[in-house]
Amino acid sequence: MATSNGAVQPATPTVRRSIGGVSVADMAARHGTPLYAYDAATIRRRCHDLAAWDTVRFAQKACSNLAVLDLVRRAGVLVDAVSAGEIHRALAAGYAPRHAPPGGDGLAPAHPIVYTADIFDRDSLDAVVRHGIHCNCGSADMLEQLAARSPGAEVTLRVNPGFGHGHSQKTNTGGEGSKHGIWHEEVPDALRRAEWAGLAVTGLHMHIGSGTDLAHLAEVAGALERVAGEVGRSLTTISAGGGLPVPYRPGEVHADLGGYHRLWDATRRRLEDRFGHRIRLELEPGRYLTAEAGFLVTEIRAVKRQGSRTYLLVDAGFNTLARPVMYGAYHPMSLCPADPTLPEGQVARGAEVAVGGPLCESGDIFTQTDGGFVATRVLPEAAVGDLLVIEVAGAYGFVMASNYNSKPLPAEVLVDGGAARLVRTRQTADDLVRGETV
Ligand code: LLP
């Protein structure tokens, strides 16, 4: 089925030979498997899709490789950071810590890096103070802690509007069941505390969850407008947060981004009329910018029958891609057969298989549903030595990988202009024990 922008989700067994014009087999031979490959052109296209927003701020938690940060920075996208480590990455990728002078368009200057969290751990507080990073505070305690170190700072409040929605309960960040944000009824108290601490509240932010639908996201605009009235004229920036969905399953399509922007633009204009000055409108996508650009290339190392089921066991596990075990998330898959005569594209016949990894855990299955039930997928007939490509893996893929079972983190390559560039080397056995002593 074709998506609204022409991308095709494989609904039938598919052979994939290349990513961004570069041979999958060559990349695997050169860099080993498992391997994350990102297609730069797709990331650029996704940045461009959102050009109507005054500021697009990449939630780098989705994919924080320095080369990806550099790429989105060059595409005019600013960045969000949730830790001292992410601030360090943003700076290393060339982002300035503080904003440039106003641009003459009447909008307040945008902060290149914003720290968004519900707490300051001691490292992150040190980092924001040292670099003068703007903070988006998800708890009132952060206000006094910041004021004690950065008197007179400007801040954004992250408000929990009392409702939320996500692709999984674990990615719902609004409502009473969520620890995130300042509870909407507590905003007057947070404003008093900010004023008392000598901070100026210039920004308002809401993010209700990830991978939800636009109907739910749209409710945020009304909730934010109500809270903006409580904050008042000090407000210069509003953020719609992230959570833009991407198509993972066959038949899913891209959301109506134009309509979504129009809704938020109308909200912003009403606030401008009310306050008598311009308001900057921000969006904070993570997965939208990188999910579809990312591919996890694995090698099939065993094909087993367990009763009536066939399992393909690959060399990546939930240590490499955690989304299926954590959320029952669905990722499209394609095969890159070792036999070079099989052409790229959809094949007429496939086999129904379950796909698992190498870990000593029965949950190490890529084809599972929420709740941990093993599901199957129809893939082209596969053999040991073929490569299995797990797709739409560029968001919350590598960044959630771990060293469980003492497996090294995989390499990452950026495919751009028909060439693949290694942007992170695979960890070595020495990396695994670095810092340990007997
Ligand atoms: N802004 C804030 C404050 C967030 O907490 C998040 C995601 C985003 C933006 C970006 O959301 P996105 O546009 O990527 O949906 N590991 C989960 C997703 C967790 C998202 C956490 N916060 C997954 O693999 O689906």
Side-chain angles (χ1 to χ4, degrees), residues 10-11 90 134 152 197 204 253 287 322 362 409:
H134 184 82
L204 190 56
V253 296
R287 87 189 60 227
S362 42
L409 293 176

Side-chain angles (χ1 to χ4, degrees), residues 285-340:
R287 87 189 60 227
Y288 186 80
L289 297 187
T290 59
E292 295 157 282
F295 300 81
L296 173 57
V297 180
T298 70
E299 186 186 354
I300 297 170
R301 301 297 302 160
V303 181
K304 317 192 342 179
R305 283 193 76 77
Q306 312 279 74
S308 63
R309 284 217 175 124
T310 303
Y311 283 77
L312 304 183
L313 298 189
V314 300
D315 58 6
F318 72 63
N319 57 311
T320 331
L321 176 67
R323 300 191 74 253
V325 72
M326 278 195 74
Y327 317 112
Y330 179 102
H331 284 268
M333 295 176 189
S334 52
L335 195 77
C336 178
D339 174 359

Side-chain angles (χ1 to χ4, degrees), residues 386-412:
D386 291 348
L387 300 171
L388 180 86
V389 183
I390 303 180
E391 308 194 348
V392 199
Y396 308 104
F398 181 92
V399 289
M400 287 172 67
S402 77
N403 287 128
Y404 187 43
N405 278 201
S406 287
K407 296 275 189 185
L409 293 176
E412 294 173 286

Side-chain angles (χ1 to χ4, degrees), residues 136-362:
N136 177 11
C137 302
S139 65
D141 292 304
M142 293 174 73
L143 300 170
E144 284 103 11
Q145 291 166 16
L146 181 65
R149 300 276 302 275
S150 288
E154 294 183 352
V155 288
T156 293
L157 300 186
R158 174 179 178 177
V159 173
N160 179 332
F163 61 88
H165 203 253
H167 67 75
S168 147
Q169 192 43 39
K170 292 177 191 147
T171 64
N172 177 343
T173 59
E176 273 188 12
S178 164
K179 65 177 179 173
H180 294 292
I182 295 170
W183 187 249
H184 59 113
E185 291 164 329
E186 302 289 326
V187 168
D189 178 59
L191 290 169
R192 266 192 302 276
R193 285 170 71 170
E195 193 177 356
W196 190 247
L199 302 176
V201 178
T202 55
L204 190 56
H205 169 279
M206 284 184 188
H207 171 82
I208 61 156
S210 276
T212 179
D213 50 74
L214 286 193
H216 282 97
L217 289 178
E219 291 175 29
V220 178
L224 186 137
E225 192 173 342
R226 280 192 295 280
V227 176
E230 295 175 29
V231 176
R233 289 198 71 247
S234 62
L235 207 59
T236 59
T237 303
I238 58 172
S239 173
L244 285 186
V246 299
Y248 284 99
R249 292 173 187 272
E252 288 181 352
V253 296
H254 281 101
D256 171 19
L257 295 178
Y260 189 55
H261 175 263
R262 278 192 294 283
L263 172 95
W264 273 99
D265 191 39
T267 303
R268 172 259 291 279
R269 284 179 199 286
R270 282 195 297 277
L271 291 174
E272 287 181 340
D273 287 346
R274 185 155 161 189
F275 296 143
H277 61 242
R278 301 226 43 211
I279 298 280
R280 178 177 288 279
L281 179 58
E282 291 203 4
L283 187 66
E284 195 176 71
R287 87 189 60 227
Y288 186 80
L289 297 187
T290 59
E292 295 157 282
F295 300 81
L296 173 57
V297 180
T298 70
E299 186 186 354
I300 297 170
R301 301 297 302 160
V303 181
K304 317 192 342 179
R305 283 193 76 77
Q306 312 279 74
S308 63
R309 284 217 175 124
T310 303
Y311 283 77
L312 304 183
L313 298 189
V314 300
D315 58 6
F318 72 63
N319 57 311
T320 331
L321 176 67
R323 300 191 74 253
V325 72
M326 278 195 74
Y327 317 112
Y330 179 102
H331 284 268
M333 295 176 189
S334 52
L335 195 77
C336 178
D339 174 359
T341 61
L342 290 173
E344 183 157 60
Q346 299 188 337
V347 301
R349 274 186 331 110
E352 198 173 322
V353 294
V355 179
L359 302 180
C360 300
E361 282 224 26
S362 42

